[in-house]
Amino acid sequence: MSGSRPIDALRRFWWVVALFGIAGAAVGGLPQPQTAADATVQWTASHTILVSSSSDVGSLFTDPLAFNQLQLFATTGQVPARAAESIGFDGAPAGLAAQVVVTADQQSGALRISTTQATPDEAVDVADAFADELISYLAERQDELRETRLTSNLDRLTELETELRDAEDRADRSPDDRVATAELDALTRQYGVVFEQFNVLQADVGQLVLTTLERAEAVAITDQGLGAPQSRVGRGTFGLLAGVAIGSAVALVLARSDRKIRTRAEAEAVLGLEAIVTIPMVSKHDVSRVSVVPDRHDALSDAYRTLRSIVVFADEERASESGEAPVTLVVSPGSGDGKTSIAANLTAAFAETGERTLGVNTDFRRPALTKRLLGYQPEPLDLGLREIEEAPLGLVANQSDTLNLSIIDLSGAGGHSPSELARTSARLLPRLVKVSDRVVVDTSPIGATAEVLEFVPHAQTVLVAVRLGHTSIASARQAMEMIRALHKGDVLLVILGGGVRSDGYYYSQEHDRGSKPGRFRRRVKPAADVRETVSV
């Protein structure tokens, strides 16, 4: 689907959307609702700790361990590892800590450790384990810090006592020595400060005290979620919408994977041309006969007449001063794209105007032009290629019962190959354009053979046939690349497969209903009769 809109894909694959919608409605509406829990239950538990200071005066913020660091200690380091070990948790301690939420209220001094688990026992065990381990770990840590500071202060006091005795001896020996006296005073003050710190540490003042205020208790949390519709109508509607959504997605995927040209806009985008006319699809139409016949005016025949007028206008802009007949080359990217139908009806449309018209078949692998115009396929010429090139055109051409219309078709002549016949037909073109008013050449598909390249340099106008739903994108692009490389004249895009007007304007459809007008006779006219159309 190259360049197509999503709405085009949904229109083309509407049956996929409808099928999925019906299936979704059936699946949702027919079965009885199954018994299932629409809600999920989890359990939360919180362990509350009261944080206080061992000092009668002062603030929590002056203690060795700051209050706002307790949240960090509870979820990192030793506490998660101890808690995981205490409850037998096999995973990483950090994973267990991620399930715990610690909140602190500095104003009341409360610390709450909470967790949410699948069962009440798990919730209680995790919350209590983290709280208990935090209390014991902080107590141990503060004791270690206190002992370390006591030892350090005691060692400092011992050092100061020794220095103080030495300073007293120097001052006693030299009472008038001001330096010795000042040194003694400084050491005395320093000793007093350290001694006071030692007494404070001994009194166990300023440490944080964590006390369990309330142990964890599990509380159920119910999550209702999105409940399924209880009625069949509700379930069916929900299933219908889901089916339509899935079907739309499938339709878009199918359209994206489709490599055929489906719309006129897509054909114009792929080939880089604006379509000049759309040949409609007509039901019960016999494609083995031409649609352009006298007294027939319907959507199909008039589409070919419109094409004729456009080609005439294009040729007039590039009219040759030599007076030679313009050559219209009808090509297609692949087989079955409708080029022979265009060539046959365009030839008939030109002859209808009174112009001497030659239809030239060069699709020697699947020749169909002559049978469409004559109603039968003539016997092949029993001539060599050189003889064909030199023979009078009256012996080579076949004239239909339609006035001003002749056909050149070398199919099967002399048992030669299609390539040889194509080259011979190309050599005849300079003679054909001098004895006729219009030449329409039906070629082989560009994507199948290279024989069409023999005729591109001779053409004034090239018509590219694209059948919607049949022509592939890749072959169309390849065909346009070859045409643009070899042809400098007009290249016109003709679309086959459009819709028929339904406004009642056209009234005569008898030829589409299988009438047999008997326009052709199953014989080849002699040379004398052919000269009425083709000068020799």
Side-chain angles (χ1 to χ4, degrees), residues 233-247:
V233 174
R235 295 196 312 276
T237 303
F238 181 80
L240 174 64
L241 296 176
V244 168
I246 297 174

Side-chain angles (χ1 to χ4, degrees), residues 63 71 223 268 270 328 356 412 436 468 471 493 516 523 533:
D63 292 332
Q71 293 173 281
D223 184 9
E268 293 175 339
V270 171
T328 302
R356 295 174 301 170
S436 58
L468 300 182
T471 304
L493 174 60
K516 299 180 181 180
R523 66 180 182 87
T533 302

Side-chain angles (χ1 to χ4, degrees), residues 81 83 100 120 135 194-195 262 271 332 352 358 393 492 502 534:
V100 174
I135 294 173
V194 175
F195 186 77
R262 298 290 178 179
L271 276 76
S332 66
E352 189 179 54
L358 272 174
L393 294 179
L492 307 179
S502 57
V534 181

Side-chain angles (χ1 to χ4, degrees), residues 192-398:
V193 172
V194 175
F195 186 77
E196 183 178 356
Q197 293 177 348
F198 181 77
N199 289 335
V200 171
L201 290 174
Q202 278 189 320
D204 193 18
V205 176
Q207 291 191 354
L208 290 179
V209 178
L210 277 66
T211 305
T212 295
L213 185 62
E214 182 181 28
R215 296 192 68 81
E217 291 184 4
V219 178
I221 300 176
T222 303
D223 184 9
Q224 294 295 336
L226 295 175
Q230 297 300 314
S231 67
R232 284 193 174 185
V233 174
R235 295 196 312 276
T237 303
F238 181 80
L240 174 64
L241 296 176
V244 168
I246 297 174
S248 299
V250 173
L252 293 176
V253 171
L254 291 175
R256 291 291 299 178
S257 61
D258 186 10
R259 305 311 299 167
K260 302 292 185 180
I261 296 177
R262 298 290 178 179
T263 64
R264 173 172 177 157
E266 188 174 7
E268 293 175 339
V270 171
L271 276 76
L273 299 172
E274 183 177 356
I276 59 169
V277 68
T278 298
I279 308 299
M281 292 291 293
V282 177
S283 60
K284 299 181 181 179
H285 171 61
D286 187 0
V287 296
S288 65
R289 300 197 307 271
V290 295
S291 300
V292 179
V293 294
D295 301 327
R296 172 176 175 173
H297 293 280
D298 57 7
L300 182 59
S301 61
D302 280 1
Y304 289 115
R305 292 185 177 99
T306 300
L307 176 61
R308 174 195 63 195
S309 300
I310 294 174
V311 173
V312 169
F313 293 149
D315 289 341
E316 286 179 352
E317 295 180 357
R318 304 173 60 89
S320 173
E321 296 180 357
S322 64
E324 296 179 349
V327 177
T328 302
L329 192 67
V330 184
V331 301
S332 66
S335 61
D337 288 334
K339 62 173 180 56
T340 301
S341 295
I342 293 176
N345 285 280
L346 183 61
T347 302
F350 278 130
E352 189 179 54
T353 64
E355 293 184 300
R356 295 174 301 170
T357 307
L358 272 174
V360 182
N361 173 65
T362 62
D363 186 358
F364 299 110
R365 287 177 170 81
R366 292 183 179 179
L369 178 67
T370 303
K371 188 174 182 179
R372 297 233 184 144
L373 292 173
L374 294 180
Y376 67 99
Q377 185 66 35
E379 293 294 329
L381 295 173
D382 189 14
L383 298 173
L385 298 181
R386 178 68 65 178
E387 294 174 325
I388 293 175
E389 294 180 19
E390 297 176 353
L393 294 179
L395 296 177
V396 179
N398 298 284

Side-chain angles (χ1 to χ4, degrees), residues 436-507:
S436 58
D437 299 319
R438 291 282 171 182
V439 176
V440 179
V441 181
D442 179 28
T443 68
S444 57
I446 295 180
T449 68
E451 296 153 12
V452 63
L453 305 180
E454 299 281 349
F455 303 93
V456 174
H458 298 278
Q460 280 71 45
T461 303
V462 175
L463 301 182
V464 182
V466 171
R467 185 182 295 277
L468 300 182
H470 181 273
T471 304
S472 71
I473 296 175
S475 63
R477 286 175 176 164
Q478 181 183 6
M480 282 306 303
E481 290 175 359
M482 297 178 65
I483 292 172
R484 287 194 176 100
L486 298 174
H487 184 66
K488 305 304 180 184
D490 292 319
V491 180
L492 307 179
L493 174 60
V494 181
I495 302 295
L496 292 94
V500 181
R501 291 177 57 176
S502 57
D503 56 4
Y505 181 80
Y506 292 105
Y507 54 86

